[in-house]
């Protein structure tokens, strides 16, 4: 079955040609034009990718992205916007977006980024509030399961986005050892990433907050000038 993409764009001049281009790539596209409709559609769990415009008639797309994440959406979010400054990109990534493209954009580049994001969405995509039976695991500690693309703290699922999971999985694969920034960018964002490496710092910062909030006995340590290391033990232990 073709991957389904939720396109949130109120401008017909952008939405219609973009829909046609995505459908030519064999994607199933549902287009909505408001933030309220976007949140309702994302909550169904049918879409592994949301392509989100920020200038919506009923609010700011950043608020839509933030709310979708709070509601439990774990698919990928690609933001499209006329706001192209670095601080705008960082804010977009900080509220939960996985990628960010400034208008006007190259259609070929957008399709490449869509393919890259969808490749990271392996495994079943479940609706917020639904539950997948976890693989048996230790009663304590942080466990990362690449097959189900889920992370667990004890027996509770850690709510991470696609990119957050990929970064965590790379660090967990060599837990206790340093993973370079270059390796993480190549493995998680691959050759189709054309933006700033600040997106890695934002993703790591979100992961740190989630580990702390979940009470996970693990922390991500920055190795200045080199990269990051996942260590067992709470922060400042």
């Amino acid at each position: 079955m073709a991957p389904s993409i939720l396109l949130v764009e109120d401008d017909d001049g952008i939405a219609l040609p973009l829909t046609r281009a995505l459908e030519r790539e064999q994607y199933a596209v549902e287009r909505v034009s408001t933030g309220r409709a976007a949140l309702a559609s994302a909550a169904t769990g049918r879409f592994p990718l949301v392509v989100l415009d920020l200038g919506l008639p009923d609010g700011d797309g950043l608020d839509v992205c933030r709310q979708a994440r709070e509601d439990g959406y774990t698919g990928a979010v690609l933001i499209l916007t006329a706001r192209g400054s670095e601080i705008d990109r960082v804010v977009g990534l900080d509220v939960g977006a996985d990628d960010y493209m400034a208008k006007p954009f190259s259609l070929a580049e957008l399709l490449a980024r869509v393919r890259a994001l969808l490749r990271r969405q392996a495994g079943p995509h479940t609706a917020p509030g639904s539950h997948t039976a976890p693989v048996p695991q230790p009663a304590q500690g942080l466990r990362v399961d690449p097959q189900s693309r889920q992370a667990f703290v004890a027996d509770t699922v850690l709510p991470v986005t696609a990119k957050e999971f990929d970064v965590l999985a790379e660090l967990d694969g060599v837990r206790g050892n340093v993973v370079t920034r270059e390796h993480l960018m190549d493995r998680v964002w691959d050759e189709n990433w054309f933006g700033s490496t600040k997106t890695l710092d934002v993703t790591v910062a979100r992961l740190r907050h989630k580990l702390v909030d979940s009470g996970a006995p693990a922390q991500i340590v920055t190795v200045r000038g080199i990269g990051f290391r996942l260590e067992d033990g709470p922060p400042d232990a």
Side-chain angles (χ1 to χ4, degrees), residues 2-10 15-16 18-20 22-23 26-34 36-53:
S4 296
I5 296 174
L6 178 62
L7 174 61
V8 188
E9 173 62 71
D10 65 314
L16 296 179
L18 184 52
T19 297
R20 288 194 294 268
L22 291 168
E23 289 177 341
Q26 306 302 310
Y27 299 121
V29 181
E30 178 177 314
R31 183 247 179 140
V32 297
S33 57
T34 66
R36 179 174 296 181
L39 289 172
S41 294
T44 67
R46 296 187 291 113
F47 302 97
L49 172 63
V50 174
V51 179
L52 174 65
D53 180 40

